[in-house]
């Protein structure tokens, strides 16, 4: 196979496309699907075969639905380098337009365990090929076959476990199906309410590229559950809205999908402004337009979508709701957020919602990932009584619950018309009581109170809180009925996120192995005061290790106890956050770019990523407070770079990762570590050993930032060959798992810029809360059990012995001298 036709069509002086060197991966066959926005948008499927990429243009893109038969036009072969090609082909060139990778991975002949290229080539020549993809989006078996002699083929998904039975459109549903989880339909029927995810209040407006911004609608939060044409519309507490807002229910019944929607019901006046007061007593005969604004999707056609990112969830909504009357998609913006906020306020809107674009949906949780920014302070309150006045009453006496105690927050005497006052009084009269519901005496400045049971809720606008805890200039907004009385609390405010600027000046000192021994830690309900820094902590009783019963509190407590010994391995090193906010049994996620979540007191550094073509803001763990902050985020394990910010391209150490297979035991890993010790002793190298905390063993080699990553990695690779020669029947250097044949893998490839491993002394998200424990070499022997090192045993161990790892960040290896010694040994 040649690239003659490919070369004929291209002028490589004016196109960035590769000219082709016919490189080949010996281990497995690769594929790529590229989104090609040329004269007409289409998708290009390319299969590595016989040194080139066999190519097909697919106008509508691939589908995971077996009922979809997608046209695929066979085009010229492309060079193997096209597997990585992204960019813009300039105008005037063949295929001019933007090319982006949509999916990539490996493939093989379906129904065969062998990657026999000759068989695949023969299938293509016969016009029918059956293949199995292992990509990020494309998974499972497909058939690709010719339908005429004009290079027109069809791509069809086979009906296997990766097939879907609903709409799959490559352009609008990108990345959606890879995370969808099949659920039992009985668990998501119309009779099972879902508590909506809630927002916290931000102190001010902010702009961040990782957030989206929506209008904050002034209405009733509502969940719509649609199944088999039946609809249940309910409030945040599960109270039915079906009768009260029957026009919305009627519209929802026209939606063709089974879905659970989250949104806000609002009543718009003639100018399009929400009128909250009139919504309380809405009837279909009222003036105004009743609208259900949908801003989230929790379930779709038998799939739970809550694990998807917010942007992915929102991308599905327009297709789901279609043109249903009275149902509208709540649009969002990503840029010019401050202008958006100002325009919203000018139009008389309540404010703006800011949401992290990549956030998941956590039912019933009040999350930092959703923030509300309001033009005025707004507070829900319980009516605890009223004072006498010239009209129905003078003012309402208001309260909220604080730690299960009812507290007074002021009186509200404005914002009513005569009819509203009368309606409120009619609701209050049956609740009259003789005694004040407040435990403490309330100063009403001589006004005569009429006390009522605190059952009726209202919403109030005000300018600010006074020092005594009362609202200044309160204005009645309307009654509410969508919460329970004990849910009415004073709304807490958090600092608005800020986009952090790159830090070009850092502390002159490197991590030296010494940290302060005088930690000052003080705890209040939701805050840890650590050395003068306030660290917010949440959900401390959340269980992270279900079998053992260990909680988030246990994790934070562990890191506070051992911070002095772990910090030398963290200070001045970029952190790749590995977060498990729902514990070890739920899938975690990695977060490199953390600038949008960091408080002002947490240090960070901006590093340009060539693969992402943008600056990434990495957290720096410089002190105990930051360590506790990371643990509160769900960072069970801590993952620092091998290099520090003063010498980014030169590691302080390299690592031999002894990676066992499912056919070997931990004792086998110990034997390999002992062999490694022999090799190091022969080379006069002092190595440092620790359990991985998972299943293997790590051996660190000090480099003292004297060599580049590639130099240090090549040297580590050489040592691995020596170890392999000592134990050829137990160890392997084969990277491909299928070629390891059950042997222990000597992994030296962890030593790359930006690559991370679990830090010494950090906890792992594994059963029994195991710790990656530094060892004395005398401990590396038969009977060593990594489960002996966990969050309960390690603090005492640390107190009883010197740190075996303390010199790993110190004098490094002299590689040329070591090579001479090894040469003499050989």
């Amino acid at each position: 196979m040649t690239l003659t036709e490919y070369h004929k069509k291209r002028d490589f002086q004016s196109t960035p496309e590769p000219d082709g060197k016919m490189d080949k991966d010996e281990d497995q066959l690769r594929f790529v699907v590229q989104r090609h926005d040329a004269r007409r948008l289409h998708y290009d499927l390319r299969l590595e075969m016989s040194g080139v990429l066999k190519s097909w243009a697919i106008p509508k893109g691939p589908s995971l639905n077996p009922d979809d038969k997608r046209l695929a036009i066979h085009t010229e072969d492309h060079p193997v380098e096209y597997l990585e090609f992204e960019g813009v082909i300039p105008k005037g060139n063949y295929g001019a337009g933007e090319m982006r990778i949509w999916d990539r991975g490996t493939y093989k002949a379906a129904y065969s365990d062998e990657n026999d290229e000759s068989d695949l080539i023969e299938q293509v020549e016969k016009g029918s090929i059956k293949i199995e993809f292992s990509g990020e989006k494309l998974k499972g078996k497909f058939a690709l076959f010719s339908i005429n002699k004009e290079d027109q083929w069809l791509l069809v998904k086979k009906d296997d476990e990766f097939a879907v039975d609903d709409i799959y459109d490559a352009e609008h549903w990108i990345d959606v199906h890879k995370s969808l989880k099949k659920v039992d339909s009985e668990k998501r029927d119309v009779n099972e309410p879902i508590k909506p995810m809630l927002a916290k209040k931000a102190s001010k407006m902010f702009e961040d590229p990782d957030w989206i911004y929506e209008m904050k609608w002034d209405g009733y939060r509502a969940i719509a559950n649609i199944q088999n044409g039946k609809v249940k519309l309910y409030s945040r507490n599960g109270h039915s809205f079906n009768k009260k807002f029957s026009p919305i229910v009627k519209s929802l019944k026209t939606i063709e999908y089974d879905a659970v929607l989250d949104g806000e019901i609002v009543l718009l006046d003639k100018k399009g402004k929400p009128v909250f007061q009139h919504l309380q007593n809405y009837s279909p005969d009222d003036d105004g337009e009743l609208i259900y604004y949908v801003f989230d999707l929790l379930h779709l056609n038998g799939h739970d979508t809550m694990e998807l990112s917010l942007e992915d969830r929102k991308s599905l909504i327009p297709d789901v709701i279609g043109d249903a009357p009275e149902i509208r998609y709540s649009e969002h913006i990503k840029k010019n957020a401050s202008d958006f906020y100002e325009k919203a306020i000018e139009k008389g809107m309540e404010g703006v919602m800011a949401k992290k674009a990549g956030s998941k949906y956590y039912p019933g949780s009040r999350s930092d990932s959703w923030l509300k920014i309001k033009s005025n302070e707004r507070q829900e309150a319980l009516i605890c009584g009223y004072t006498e006045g010239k009209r129905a009453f003078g003012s309402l006496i208001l309260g909220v619950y604080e730690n299960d105690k009812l507290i007074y927050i002021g009186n509200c005497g404005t914002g009513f018309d005569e009819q509203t006052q009368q309606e409120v009084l009619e609701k209050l009269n049956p609740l009259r009581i003789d005694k004040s519901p407040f435990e403490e005496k309330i100063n009403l400045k001589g006004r005569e109170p009429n006390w009522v049971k605190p059952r009726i809720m209202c919403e109030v606008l005000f300018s600010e809180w006074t020092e005594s805890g009362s609202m200044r200039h309160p204005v009645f907004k309307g009654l509410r009925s969508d919460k329970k009385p004990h849910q009415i609390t004073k709304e807490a405010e958090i600092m608005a996120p800020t986009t952090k600027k790159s830090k070009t000046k850092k502390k002159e000192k490197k991590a030296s192995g010494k940290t302060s021994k005088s930690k000052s830690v003080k705890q209040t309900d939701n805050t840890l005061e650590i050395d003068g820094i306030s660290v917010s902590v949440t959900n401390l009783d959340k269980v992270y290790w279900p079998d053992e019963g260990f909680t988030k509190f246990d994790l934070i407590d562990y890191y506070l106890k051992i911070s002095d010994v772990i910090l030398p391995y963290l200070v001045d090193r970029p952190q790749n956050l590995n977060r498990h906010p729902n514990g070890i049994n739920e899938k975690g996620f990695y977060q490199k770019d953390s600038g949008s979540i960091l408080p002002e007191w947490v240090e960070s550094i901006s590093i340009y990523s060539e693969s992402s073509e943008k600056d990434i803001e990495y957290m720096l763990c410089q002190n105990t407070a930051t360590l506790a902050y990371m643990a509160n985020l769900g960072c069970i394990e801590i993952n620092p770079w091998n290099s520090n910010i003063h010498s980014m391209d030169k590691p302080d150490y390299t690592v031999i990762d002894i990676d066992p297979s499912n056919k070997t035991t931990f004792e086998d890993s110990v034997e390999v570590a002992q062999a490694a010790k022999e090799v190091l002793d022969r080379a006069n190298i002092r190595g440092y050993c620790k359990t991985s905390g998972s299943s293997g063993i790590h051996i660190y080699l000090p480099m003292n930032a004297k060599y580049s990553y590639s130099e240090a990695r090549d040297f580590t690779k050489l040592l691995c060959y020596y170890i392999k020669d000592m134990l050829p029947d137990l160890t392997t250097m084969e990277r491909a798992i299928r070629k390891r044949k059950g042997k222990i893998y000597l992994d030296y490839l962890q030593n790359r810029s930006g690559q991370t491993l679990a830090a010494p002394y950090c906890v792992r998200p594994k059963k029994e809360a195991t710790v990656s424990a530094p060892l004395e070499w005398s401990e590396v022997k038969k009977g060593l059990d990594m489960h002996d090192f966990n969050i309960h045993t390690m603090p005492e161990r640390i107190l009883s012995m010197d740190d075996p790892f303390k010199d790993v960040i110190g004098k490094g290896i002299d590689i040329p001298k070591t090579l001479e010694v090894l040469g003499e040994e050989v």
Side-chain angles (χ1 to χ4, degrees):
M1 296 185 182
T2 69
L3 297 174
T4 303
E5 188 67 21
Y6 174 83
H7 287 138
K8 271 185 188 179
K9 295 180 176 180
R10 288 162 178 82
D11 177 3
F12 294 104
Q13 299 299 315
S14 60
T15 178
E17 296 168 279
D19 57 7
K21 295 179 182 177
M22 292 193 177
D23 291 334
K24 185 178 184 311
D25 188 316
E26 296 295 335
D27 288 335
Q28 47 197 343
L29 298 172
R30 298 165 290 183
F31 81 91
V32 68
V33 178
Q34 286 150 325
R35 181 184 184 277
H36 193 175
D37 194 2
R39 184 167 56 89
R40 289 185 180 178
L41 176 65
H42 63 278
Y43 292 76
D44 292 314
L45 168 65
R46 311 192 196 281
L47 305 177
E48 181 182 20
M49 202 178 297
S50 192
V52 295
L53 299 179
K54 306 298 292 182
S55 299
W56 288 262
I58 307 173
K60 289 188 175 181
S63 173
L64 292 178
N65 189 331
D67 292 335
D68 295 335
K69 296 176 174 58
R70 294 292 166 86
L71 177 66
I73 302 167
H74 196 194
T75 62
E76 74 275 10
D77 295 342
H78 282 55
V80 172
E81 292 95 322
Y82 233 90
L83 286 164
E84 303 294 331
F85 177 66
E86 287 188 304
V88 177
I89 302 171
K91 289 183 179 180
N93 288 274
Y94 177 76
E98 184 181 41
M99 182 85 75
R100 289 285 176 260
I101 292 175
W102 183 82
D103 193 21
R104 59 182 159 196
T106 61
Y107 82 99
K108 66 177 184 176
Y111 313 107
S112 172
D113 292 330
E114 300 296 328
N115 269 352
D116 188 345
E117 283 190 72
S118 60
D119 180 51
L120 288 166
I121 294 168
E122 185 178 340
Q123 288 186 47
V124 172
E125 290 174 349
K126 288 182 178 180
S128 178
I129 178 172
K130 294 179 177 62
I131 49 183
E132 184 173 346
F133 288 115
S134 295
E136 293 182 6
K137 299 180 180 71
L138 297 186
K139 296 180 185 293
K141 297 178 177 64
F142 285 76
L144 182 63
F145 53 90
S146 175
I147 56 175
N148 59 29
K149 295 181 180 180
E150 301 298 325
D151 288 329
Q152 293 189 354
W153 296 50
L154 290 179
L155 178 67
V156 182
K157 178 77 183 79
K158 293 292 185 179
D159 194 0
D160 56 20
E161 73 254 48
F162 300 107
V164 302
D165 56 7
D166 51 2
I167 295 173
Y168 192 95
D169 182 84
E171 183 61 17
H172 298 295
W173 293 47
I174 293 174
D175 286 332
V176 170
H177 290 272
K178 70 179 182 180
S179 298
L180 289 176
K181 298 177 180 178
K182 285 283 185 182
V183 294
D184 185 346
S185 61
E186 293 182 4
K187 291 184 179 179
R188 288 284 185 246
D189 63 22
V190 293
N191 296 312
E192 184 184 350
I194 298 175
K195 287 186 176 295
M197 181 170 169
L198 303 175
K200 291 186 177 180
K201 185 172 66 171
S203 57
K204 61 181 179 180
M205 189 61 200
F206 64 97
E207 296 199 35
D208 192 294
D210 294 329
W211 291 65
I212 67 171
Y213 301 88
E214 303 170 340
M215 198 70 73
K216 187 179 188 316
W217 301 106
D218 192 4
Y220 282 149
R221 184 77 173 275
I223 301 289
N225 200 327
I226 309 163
Q227 185 170 312
N228 298 323
K230 296 180 180 179
V231 172
K232 183 171 183 180
L233 185 67
Y234 52 84
S235 72
R236 65 177 74 183
N237 283 321
H239 301 310
S240 177
F241 279 155
N242 280 41
K243 185 175 180 181
K244 184 178 183 68
F245 301 118
S246 57
I248 299 295
V249 174
K250 183 178 179 181
S251 294
L252 290 168
K253 288 181 178 179
T254 67
I255 292 176
E256 298 177 357
Y257 300 90
D258 288 347
V260 178
L261 307 174
D262 187 2
E264 191 98 356
I265 298 173
V266 301
L267 186 65
L268 303 179
D269 63 17
K270 293 179 180 179
K271 295 181 179 180
K273 178 183 173 183
V275 188
F276 179 78
Q277 271 187 311
H278 294 175
L279 190 64
Q280 169 70 27
N281 298 310
Y282 170 79
S283 80
D285 296 329
D286 288 347
D287 291 336
E289 186 178 14
L290 190 69
I291 298 294
Y292 181 40
Y293 280 101
V294 180
F295 47 70
D296 219 321
L297 175 71
L298 317 185
H299 191 75
L300 178 64
N301 287 355
H303 297 287
D304 185 351
T305 59
M306 293 188 235
E307 290 292 310
L308 296 178
S309 71
L310 173 61
E311 281 192 304
D312 280 341
R313 299 196 305 271
K314 290 202 69 172
S315 72
L316 305 177
I317 294 172
D319 287 329
V320 171
I321 64 176
D323 298 323
E326 286 87 39
I327 314 298
R328 293 183 190 170
Y329 173 55
S330 185
E331 302 277 358
H332 66 266
I333 58 104
K334 294 194 73 172
K335 296 180 179 180
N336 304 317
S338 294
D339 291 341
F340 179 61
Y341 174 77
E342 293 299 330
K343 289 178 181 177
I345 301 308
E346 287 175 11
K347 291 181 179 178
M349 302 299 290
E350 186 182 0
V352 165
M353 294 294 302
K355 300 178 180 179
K356 279 186 184 175
S359 60
K360 297 179 183 179
Y361 192 98
Y362 298 106
S365 170
R366 191 174 294 279
S367 171
D368 290 344
S369 297
W370 285 17
L371 301 176
K372 45 191 173 185
I373 305 104
K374 302 178 180 180
S375 58
N376 291 302
E377 294 282 355
R378 193 180 185 109
Q379 177 66 48
E380 294 165 344
L382 290 166
I383 302 175
C384 302
Y386 59 90
T387 62
E388 297 291 342
K390 293 181 180 180
R391 294 188 291 176
F393 55 80
S395 64
L396 297 176
I397 304 170
L398 303 178
V400 296
Y401 279 100
E402 188 174 278
N403 297 326
D404 294 325
K405 179 182 178 182
L406 189 66
I407 63 168
Y408 173 67
I409 60 170
N411 281 36
C412 177
T414 60
F416 313 95
D417 57 27
E418 195 169 332
Q419 180 182 347
T420 302
Q421 274 201 322
Q422 195 60 46
E423 290 172 353
V424 171
L425 187 60
E426 288 175 3
K427 290 180 179 293
L428 294 178
N429 279 334
L431 300 173
R432 290 277 297 268
I433 55 177
D434 296 331
K435 186 179 178 182
S436 168
F438 300 106
E439 290 183 18
E440 298 176 358
K441 188 175 181 180
I442 305 304
N443 182 8
L444 296 176
K445 298 178 181 179
R447 290 172 289 183
E448 189 67 26
N450 295 279
W451 301 113
V452 298
K453 293 178 182 179
R455 298 289 184 269
I456 305 298
M457 291 156 276
C458 67
E459 194 154 350
V460 179
L461 295 177
F462 64 104
S463 58
E464 61 180 349
W465 290 104
T466 68
E467 290 185 3
S468 63
S470 294
M471 296 178 290
R472 194 186 302 279
H473 308 136
V475 178
F476 181 81
K477 185 69 177 174
L479 295 178
R480 299 200 74 103
S481 59
D482 53 346
K483 282 191 175 185
K484 297 177 181 178
H486 274 79
Q487 292 177 312
I488 305 302
T489 59
K490 187 180 287 189
E491 196 166 9
E493 185 177 271
I494 68 171
M495 290 298 293
T498 56
T499 305
K500 290 194 170 294
K501 297 179 180 179
S502 301
K503 293 179 173 60
T504 54
K505 294 183 179 179
K506 290 291 168 185
K507 297 178 181 177
E508 293 300 322
K509 66 179 183 68
K510 286 176 61 177
S512 62
K514 296 180 181 179
T515 56
S516 170
K517 299 292 181 181
S518 58
K519 288 193 298 290
S520 170
V521 181
K522 191 182 297 181
Q523 183 178 352
T524 58
D525 288 342
N526 296 306
T527 304
L528 290 175
E529 293 287 339
I530 304 175
D531 296 331
I533 299 173
S534 295
V535 183
S536 175
V537 290
T538 57
N539 301 320
L540 293 177
D541 58 350
K542 179 178 282 189
V543 177
Y544 273 8
W545 286 268
D547 291 346
E548 296 79 13
F550 297 158
T551 64
K552 182 196 279 194
F553 174 86
D554 294 316
L555 178 70
I556 296 175
D557 184 56
Y558 169 77
Y559 279 125
L560 288 175
K561 288 176 179 176
I562 64 101
S563 66
D564 290 330
V565 73
I566 194 175
L567 277 173
Y569 310 106
L570 307 181
V571 170
D572 287 348
R573 297 181 188 280
Q575 299 291 327
N576 188 359
L577 306 185
N578 183 9
R579 298 176 62 182
H580 287 77
N582 294 311
I584 68 167
N585 289 348
E586 296 292 328
K587 187 177 179 181
F589 62 95
Y590 281 94
Q591 181 176 359
K592 294 181 181 179
D593 200 342
S594 54
S596 65
I597 68 170
L598 301 183
E600 284 295 328
W601 53 266
V602 175
E603 290 191 41
S604 64
I605 185 169
S606 182
I607 302 174
Y608 182 75
S609 168
E610 292 186 0
S611 60
S612 302
E613 297 183 346
K614 67 174 185 178
D615 287 332
I616 291 179
E617 197 79 13
Y618 285 90
M619 175 190 288
L620 297 174
C621 186
Q622 306 294 76
N623 49 40
T624 303
T626 306
L627 185 60
Y629 174 77
M630 293 173 70
N632 185 65
L633 288 178
C635 297
I636 293 176
E637 68 181 28
I638 312 296
N639 295 272
W641 280 29
N642 291 6
S643 54
N644 66 70
I645 60 175
H646 306 288
S647 53
M648 302 284 282
D649 299 323
K650 295 181 178 181
D652 292 302
Y653 44 77
T654 61
V655 184
I656 298 173
D657 182 3
I658 299 172
D659 186 6
S661 73
N662 55 10
K663 295 182 180 179
T664 59
T665 65
F666 188 69
E667 284 199 355
D668 292 328
S669 296
V670 169
E671 183 180 351
V672 175
Q674 291 171 331
K677 179 68 162 59
E678 288 187 40
V679 171
L680 297 180
D681 287 346
R682 282 161 45 193
N684 293 329
I685 297 172
R686 184 179 178 187
Y688 300 83
C689 184
K690 69 180 178 71
T691 66
S692 70
S694 177
S695 58
I697 292 175
H698 298 156
I699 299 174
Y700 280 48
L701 310 174
M703 291 289 163
N704 198 25
K706 293 193 295 186
Y707 305 101
S708 68
Y709 269 102
S710 59
E711 290 170 333
R713 183 173 61 251
D714 289 345
F715 174 72
T716 308
K717 179 180 180 181
L718 176 65
L719 295 178
C720 288
Y721 274 117
Y722 278 99
I723 300 167
K724 175 179 173 293
D725 289 343
M726 289 185 65
L727 298 172
D729 295 330
L730 184 58
T731 62
T732 180
M733 299 281 284
E734 293 287 352
R735 186 180 182 186
I737 294 176
R738 62 184 177 82
K739 291 186 176 182
R740 296 180 192 174
K741 299 179 180 178
K743 296 180 181 181
I744 290 175
Y745 176 44
L746 299 173
D747 188 0
Y748 60 90
L749 294 173
Q750 302 286 355
N751 303 296
R752 300 191 298 269
S753 179
Q755 185 73 34
T756 61
L757 272 178
Y761 298 105
C762 84
V763 192
R764 301 300 303 276
K766 304 293 180 181
K767 286 189 175 182
E768 300 184 42
T770 50
V771 168
S772 186
L775 304 168
E776 298 283 4
W777 276 109
S778 60
E779 297 177 291
V780 185
K781 60 185 179 181
K782 187 176 181 179
L784 178 67
D785 187 347
M786 64 179 172
H787 299 98
D788 290 340
F789 311 103
N790 55 60
I791 60 175
H792 282 333
T793 62
M794 283 301 291
E796 185 175 345
R797 173 181 167 88
I798 289 167
L799 288 173
S800 65
M801 63 187 296
D802 289 335
D803 179 9
F805 246 57
K806 64 183 178 182
D807 294 327
V808 78
I809 308 172
K811 184 178 179 181
I813 295 168
D814 185 329
I815 289 181
K817 185 179 290 187
T818 302
L819 292 175
E820 287 180 14
V821 174
L822 283 173
E824 292 172 2
E825 287 288 328
V826 174

